């Protein structure tokens, strides 16, 4: 009988944090480079290239070009001239800038008053409807399908300030009006906001309806058991459950209203007397008002400033609401 | 295995598509086609023409292509407005041949934003016969002709004869003073509920028409040396604004729309919603071909002139060529301009042929205009087309009988469109705010205009 000598493995080296890190890093490097080539890396790259290329060419290059143009004088035909911060100084010293900012804030405030709560209320009401909800959804969404230019021309027709105008005729049935709508400095902006709300609310309603589907019915059942009415259910169940969506739509609304252009452009061209000239309208005027080529440098400088302000605002907003949105 | 094959195939497709995309971009940088051989040029055609007008245009294209077999003409809808022109210009999407107002000619030439076609223009048989006042709008500082004047106009007072009759006014005796314009406007407004008098206010047209009225009231918006705006120093500017204010607020005779631009005011006038408005004297063609004006409604008279040194704001249209056009395309473009715009004025056969064709298609022939060449040539041209004139000339007699007696004043020369844009705001303010402070508004725009003149300086 042969006594077998027990084979004993050499005692393991003491595994220090340093050696582990080194080993993992070396493995990662070996697997990283070689493995990338052996694995799906090249395929992924090739698949990614068209997307990456399009993205750089059509999304980022114009942004970079615009940022560069903000420091140039150019008519886009003759060679550009580098002017440093001059365009920014031009824009900041423009007396119309203050008015455009105030108008934009005024639009934003009106849009928040009208455009923010209305879709939520409509969505909550529609979620309570048991029959033909699809029909109501379609009707609510219909204005979003109407092309903005068509919608604006339609509303421009409705807003005809003469007593024979559509809205003024309706107002006359109730013994009111005629109202000047777009033809008066005081009423032009609220009229534009009304149109903007009509044209955009459908999209937001659909988002809210989708979010409402995700609210657990048990919560409503529990609230009902506790004797809650409709209003209490909305306040204590629906709104807290929609908190995340509400936060996102709020910031999107702010960013959207800060960039409002189409509505005043089509309905009033910024008038009367600049009462609906927004920041984006001002950018447009810099670029396109003068038929000889416009001040593209000033236009891009103001665009850049607006983008920076909105980015800072968004960052602060998300930081301030981070805890609230996840709680 | 099969999945590997599929993946490889997809990867190949993706790679090829990337390559194609890259190749496409590289291809964009290729030099232009050689200059010999057939040439295709895009030429502008008014947007939104009635079918008869489009047929007329197509027939003339066919004639041109028969005479120039190596040139192909492609039509592109284009109507000059300040914002769209700027966009097209910057984006490089203008047709090869396009039209611009007199106000923009010298600026575009100085900035080299239109092609230098002077060598081809110099070869035209009538190159030295242009009315010098008209030709200078398309000339560079050295006197070379970069853009060709194709039409000239003096502003006119367009009026609706039907509304005049409805208000108990005689359409054959339109107003001859601005006080009479105001009285007629009030009568029309009171009797019909439509705007007795309307004015453009948007897209720089507010400044354009305000300047017209200032000139008619004996004032100017720019000093004689074209070194400064005179918005506050010339009392006629405030006087005209006060006149509009009173027409709007005291008489309530301007209807309810104070955001008109050139297109929308034409629309409303053609549909019988406006009694009177000021625009180019040759506007009849647009009113008919783009807005279906009923000719029976139409009347045209000269602007009343008052004050110490009044005059009629004049302007016109230049034909220009895209700076992106190759030499061969530029040459073809000038041939087209010669054929389409000029020969009908300068060559008897073409003038007769063009007028006959237009008349046969029920297109307006003989709308009032000012001579691009000299007065004598203009009279000869009118005798050529006389048999085909189909516009209601009697209804335009108050204009055509008096227009040549009115002193013509060119548009302001410096920062024209920019100052017009500033004045849009002033006119809008006066028409939408009963308590608008005219002096303060003018002081504000004068400051801004001063900055524009200093910059141009």
């Amino acid at each position: 009988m042969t006594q077998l000598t027990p084979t004993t493995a050499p005692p393991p080296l003491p595994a220090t944090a340093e050696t582990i890190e080194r080993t993992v890093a070396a493995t990662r490097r070996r697997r990283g480079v070689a493995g990338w080539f052996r694995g799906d890396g090249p395929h992924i790259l090739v698949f990614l290239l068209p997307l990456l290329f399009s993205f750089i060419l059509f999304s980022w290059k114009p942004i970079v070009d615009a940022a560069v143009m903000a420091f140039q004088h150019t008519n886009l035909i003759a060679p550009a001239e580098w002017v440093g911060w001059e365009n920014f100084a031009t824009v900041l010293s423009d007396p119309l800038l203050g008015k455009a900012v105030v108008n934009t804030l005024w639009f934003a405030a009106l849009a928040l008053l009208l455009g923010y709560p209305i879709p939520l209320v409509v969505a909550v009401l529609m979620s309570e409807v048991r029959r033909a909800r699809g029909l109501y959804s379609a009707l609510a969404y219909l204005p979003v399908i109407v092309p903005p230019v068509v919608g604006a021309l339609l509303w421009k027709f409705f807003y005809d300030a003469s007593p024979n105008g559509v809205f003024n005729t309706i107002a006359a049935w109730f013994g009111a009006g005629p109202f000047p709508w777009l033809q008066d400095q005081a009423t032009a902006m609220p009229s534009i906001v009304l149109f903007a709300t009509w044209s955009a609310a459908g999209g937001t309603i659909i988002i809210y309806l989708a979010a409402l589907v995700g609210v657990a019915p048990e919560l409503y059942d529990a609230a009902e058991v506790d004797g809650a009415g409709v209003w209490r259910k909305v306040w204590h169940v629906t709104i807290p459950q929609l908190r995340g969506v509400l936060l996102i739509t709020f910031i999107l609304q702010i960013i959207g209203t800060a960039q409002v252009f189409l509505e005043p452009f089509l309905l009033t061209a910024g008038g009367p007397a600049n009462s609906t000239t927004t920041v984006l309208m001002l950018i447009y005027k810099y670029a396109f008002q003068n038929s000889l080529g416009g001040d593209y440098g000033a236009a891009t400088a103001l665009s850049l400033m607006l983008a920076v302000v909105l980015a800072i605002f968004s960052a602060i907003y998300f930081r301030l609401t981070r805890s609230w949105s996840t709680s | 295995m099969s999945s590997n094959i599929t993946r490889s195939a997809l990867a190949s497709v993706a790679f090829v598509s990337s390559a194609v995309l890259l190749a496409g971009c590289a291809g964009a940088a290729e030099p232009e086609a050689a200059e010999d051989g057939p040439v295709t040029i895009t030429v502008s055609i008014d947007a939104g023409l009635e079918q008869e007008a489009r047929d007329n245009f197509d027939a003339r294209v066919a004639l041109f292509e028969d005479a120039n077999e190596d040139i192909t003409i492609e039509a592109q809808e284009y109507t000059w407005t300040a914002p769209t022109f700027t966009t097209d210009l910057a984006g490089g999407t203008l047709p090869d041949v396009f039209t611009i107002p007199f106000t923009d000619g010298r600026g575009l030439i100085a900035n080299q934003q239109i092609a230098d076609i002077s060598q081809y223009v110099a070869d035209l048989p009538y190159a030295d016969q242009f009315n010098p006042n008209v030709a200078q709008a398309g000339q560079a500082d050295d006197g070379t002709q970069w853009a060709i004047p194709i039409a000239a106009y003096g502003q006119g007072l367009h009026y609706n004869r039907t509304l005049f009759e409805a208000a108990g006014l005689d359409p054959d005796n339109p107003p001859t003073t601005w006080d009479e314009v105001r009285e007629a406007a009030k009568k029309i407004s009171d009797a019909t509920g439509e705007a007795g008098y309307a004015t453009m206010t948007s897209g720089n047209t507010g400044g354009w028409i305000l300047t017209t009225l200032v000139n008619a009231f004996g004032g100017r918006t720019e000093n004689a040396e074209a070194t400064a705006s005179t918005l506050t120093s010339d009392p006629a500017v405030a006087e005209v604004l006060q006149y509009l204010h009173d027409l709007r607020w005291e008489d309530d005779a301007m209807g309810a729309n104070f955001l008109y631009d050139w297109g929308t005011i034409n629309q409303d006038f053609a549909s019988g919603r406006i009694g009177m408005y000021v625009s180019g004297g040759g506007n009849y063609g647009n009113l008919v071909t783009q807005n279906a004006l009923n000719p029976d409604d139409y009347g045209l008279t000269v602007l009343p002139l008052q004050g110490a040194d009044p005059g009629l704001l004049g302007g016109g249209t230049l034909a220009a060529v895209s700076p992106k056009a190759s030499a061969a395309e530029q040459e073809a473009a000038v041939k087209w301009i010669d054929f389409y715009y000029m020969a009908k004025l300068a060559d008897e056969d073409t003038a007769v042929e063009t007028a006959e064709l237009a008349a046969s298609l029920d297109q307006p022939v003989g709308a009032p205009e000012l001579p691009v060449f000299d007065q004598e040539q203009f009279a000869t041209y009118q005798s050529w087309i006389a048999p085909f004139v189909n516009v209601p000339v009697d209804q335009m007699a108050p204009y055509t009988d008096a227009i040549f007696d009115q002193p013509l004043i060119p548009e302001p020369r410096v920062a024209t469109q920019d100052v017009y844009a500033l004045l849009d705001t002033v006119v809008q303010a006066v028409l939408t705010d009963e308590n608008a402070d005219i002096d303060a508004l003018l002081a504000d725009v004068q400051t801004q205009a001063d900055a524009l003149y200093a910059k141009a300086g």
Side-chain angles (χ1 to χ4, degrees):
Chain A
M1 185 171 182
T2 315
Q3 195 181 352
L4 290 173
T5 327
T7 51
T8 52
L13 289 168
T16 63
E18 197 186 339
T19 51
I20 291 171
E21 221 166 70
R22 236 185 349 247
T23 314
V24 168
T27 314
R28 209 177 267 159
R29 264 202 304 278
R30 273 201 308 278
R31 291 191 54 169
V33 180
W36 188 86
F37 272 106
R38 279 200 304 273
D40 290 335
H43 290 122
I44 291 170
L45 184 67
V46 170
F47 271 103
L48 209 60
L49 263 178
L51 180 69
L52 203 63
F53 184 76
S54 311
F55 195 63
I56 290 170
L57 190 66
F58 299 115
S59 291
W60 282 100
K61 186 176 179 299
I63 293 174
V64 173
D65 284 351
V68 171
M69 201 189 289
F71 297 92
Q72 293 177 331
H73 269 171
T74 177
N75 60 16
L76 299 180
I77 293 175
E81 181 193 347
W82 194 261
V83 294
W85 294 97
E86 192 182 309
N87 291 326
F88 292 87
T90 303
V91 170
L92 290 171
S93 61
D94 186 342
L96 201 51
L97 179 64
K99 189 166 182 61
V101 170
V102 169
N103 285 343
T104 307
L105 293 173
W106 178 224
F107 180 92
L110 286 172
L112 284 178
L113 274 173
L114 270 176
Y116 191 64
I118 285 179
L120 180 62
V121 172
V122 174
V124 169
L125 289 177
M126 280 169 61
S127 71
E128 293 294 319
V129 174
R130 295 279 178 260
R131 279 181 173 184
R133 192 187 291 177
L135 176 68
Y136 289 118
S137 302
L139 286 176
Y141 197 69
L142 204 60
V144 183
I145 302 170
V146 176
V149 176
V150 176
L153 291 177
L154 202 65
W155 276 64
K156 204 172 178 179
F157 175 70
F158 293 163
Y159 275 142
D160 185 344
S162 70
N164 303 324
V166 176
F167 285 164
N168 278 338
T169 304
I170 295 169
W173 296 343
F174 302 96
F179 300 106
W181 304 111
L182 301 168
Q183 307 292 334
D184 186 280
Q185 294 174 46
T187 55
M189 191 64 95
S191 303
I192 287 175
V193 172
L194 203 62
F195 163 68
T197 304
W198 171 83
S199 63
T204 320
I205 288 171
I206 296 297
I207 293 173
Y208 287 146
L209 277 175
L212 282 167
V213 172
V215 180
E218 297 81 18
L219 294 173
Y220 290 113
D221 294 341
E224 269 177 32
V225 169
D226 290 343
V230 173
W231 173 242
R232 280 183 170 276
K233 278 194 287 182
V234 168
W235 186 251
H236 291 291
V237 178
T238 309
I239 294 198
Q241 289 295 310
L242 293 185
R243 191 181 289 157
V245 175
L246 285 169
L247 283 170
I248 292 294
T249 52
F250 185 80
I251 191 70
L252 288 178
Q253 175 101 357
I254 295 282
I255 292 173
T257 52
Q259 297 182 354
V260 64
F261 171 77
L262 195 72
E263 291 84 357
F265 177 72
L266 290 172
L267 290 174
T268 60
N274 288 323
S275 60
T276 56
T277 297
T278 59
V279 174
L280 235 68
M281 281 289 297
L282 188 58
I283 291 170
Y284 173 82
K285 285 188 174 190
Y286 279 129
F288 302 116
Q289 185 162 270
N290 185 334
S291 54
L292 298 183
D295 194 345
Y296 300 109
T300 45
L302 184 52
S303 307
L304 208 59
M305 286 193 274
L306 178 66
V308 169
V309 168
L310 286 179
I312 292 171
F313 173 79
S314 303
I316 292 171
Y317 175 81
F318 280 119
R319 183 148 190 92
L320 288 178
T321 56
R322 190 167 49 186
S323 59
W324 191 59
S325 64
T326 52
S327 63
Chain B
M1 181 69 183
S2 115
S3 95
N4 277 345
I5 291 170
T6 311
R7 200 161 56 177
S8 300
L10 282 172
S12 306
V13 169
F15 181 77
V16 169
S17 68
S18 306
V20 167
L21 212 61
L22 286 164
C25 290
E30 289 283 310
E32 289 176 16
E35 294 190 355
D36 292 331
V39 174
T40 299
I41 55 169
T42 49
V43 304
S44 61
I45 175 175
D46 281 338
L49 290 181
E50 300 284 321
Q51 189 55 47
E52 292 82 2
R54 178 67 203 219
D55 292 343
N56 186 13
F57 180 86
D58 290 341
R60 299 199 61 207
V61 168
L63 278 174
F64 178 80
E65 288 180 338
D66 285 347
N68 298 274
E69 288 182 349
D70 56 344
I71 301 174
T72 303
I73 299 293
E74 285 179 1
Q76 179 179 326
E77 284 203 346
Y78 161 93
T79 298
W80 186 94
T81 67
T84 52
F85 178 73
T86 317
T87 320
D88 280 337
L89 184 68
T93 53
L94 285 169
D96 291 319
V97 179
F98 53 89
T99 55
I100 51 174
F102 277 12
T103 42
D104 283 8
R106 294 180 74 87
L108 290 169
I109 293 166
N111 296 343
Q112 303 200 336
Q113 290 166 294
I114 58 175
D116 177 5
I117 52 171
S118 55
Q119 56 173 317
Y120 308 113
V121 177
D123 290 339
L124 296 171
Y126 42 80
D128 55 353
Q129 291 171 25
F130 284 112
N131 177 344
N133 291 332
V134 166
Q136 56 89 25
Q139 288 173 347
D141 289 341
D142 62 2
T144 51
Q145 196 79 37
W146 286 43
I148 304 175
I150 57 169
Y153 68 84
Q155 299 278 52
L157 181 69
H158 307 259
Y159 62 96
N160 184 311
R161 295 173 63 90
T162 308
L163 289 180
F164 261 56
E165 283 171 2
L169 298 161
D170 179 2
D172 293 326
N173 287 299
T176 55
T177 67
W178 286 104
D179 285 340
E180 287 178 13
V181 169
R182 192 174 159 187
E183 284 165 25
K186 182 156 173 53
K187 281 182 182 168
I188 292 168
S189 190
D190 289 347
T192 67
E194 305 294 357
Y197 178 92
T199 191
M200 297 178 223
T201 59
S202 288
N204 306 358
T205 59
W208 176 46
I209 300 300
L210 179 68
T211 304
T212 300
L213 263 58
V214 168
N215 292 165
F217 273 62
R220 301 290 184 274
T221 56
E222 179 181 77
N223 66 9
E225 301 78 28
T227 53
S229 266
T230 54
L231 302 173
T232 48
S233 57
D234 193 317
V237 184
E239 192 186 351
V240 170
L241 287 167
Q242 188 62 48
Y243 177 84
L244 291 173
H245 176 274
D246 295 346
L247 204 54
R248 159 74 178 100
W249 295 105
E250 285 185 14
D251 302 346
D252 192 19
M254 292 188 71
N257 191 345
F258 311 107
L259 294 173
Y260 278 125
D261 61 13
W262 191 79
T264 49
I265 204 167
N266 284 342
Q267 253 171 26
D268 271 12
F269 178 76
S271 59
R273 298 190 64 184
I274 293 172
M276 294 175 279
Y277 79 113
V278 172
S279 185
N283 209 19
Y284 179 81
N286 293 95
L287 289 167
V288 170
T289 59
Q290 292 182 46
N291 299 287
L293 170 82
N294 176 2
D296 294 341
D297 287 346
Y298 186 71
L300 176 66
T301 185
V302 285
L303 297 187
L305 300 186
Q306 67 182 47
D309 183 22
L312 181 71
L313 185 84
T317 306
L318 297 162
V321 177
S322 165
K324 292 180 184 295
S326 67
E329 287 164 347
Q330 288 179 25
E331 192 175 2
V334 173
K335 281 184 182 169
W336 170 255
I337 294 170
D338 175 39
F339 170 83
Y340 185 69
Y341 297 110
M342 304 308 294
K344 65 181 179 184
L345 302 175
D347 176 73
E348 180 173 4
D349 289 344
T350 314
V352 169
E353 203 174 79
T354 309
E356 189 175 11
L357 179 64
S360 72
L361 292 166
D362 211 20
Q363 291 302 292
V365 177
E369 54 193 317
L370 295 180
V372 169
F373 301 109
D374 55 37
Q375 188 88 37
E376 190 185 346
Q377 194 279 338
F378 185 65
T380 311
Y381 159 74
Q382 287 189 309
S383 70
W384 293 337
I385 63 162
F388 309 105
V389 169
N390 58 6
V391 301
V393 283
D394 291 345
Q395 293 162 216
M396 301 176 186
Y399 180 85
T400 47
D401 288 351
I403 185 69
F404 291 112
D405 297 329
Q406 295 200 320
L408 205 61
I409 298 174
E411 288 181 82
R413 281 168 284 175
V414 177
T416 316
Q417 297 293 344
D418 284 325
V419 176
Y420 282 172
L422 293 175
L423 291 172
D424 275 4
T425 306
V426 178
V427 179
Q428 288 177 10
V430 166
L431 297 181
T432 57
D433 176 8
E434 188 171 5
N435 301 314
D437 183 341
I438 291 172
D439 291 337
L441 288 166
L442 285 177
D444 183 36
V445 290
Q446 178 69 52
T447 309
Q448 296 179 60
D450 286 345
L452 291 169
Y453 273 76
K455 200 173 165 187

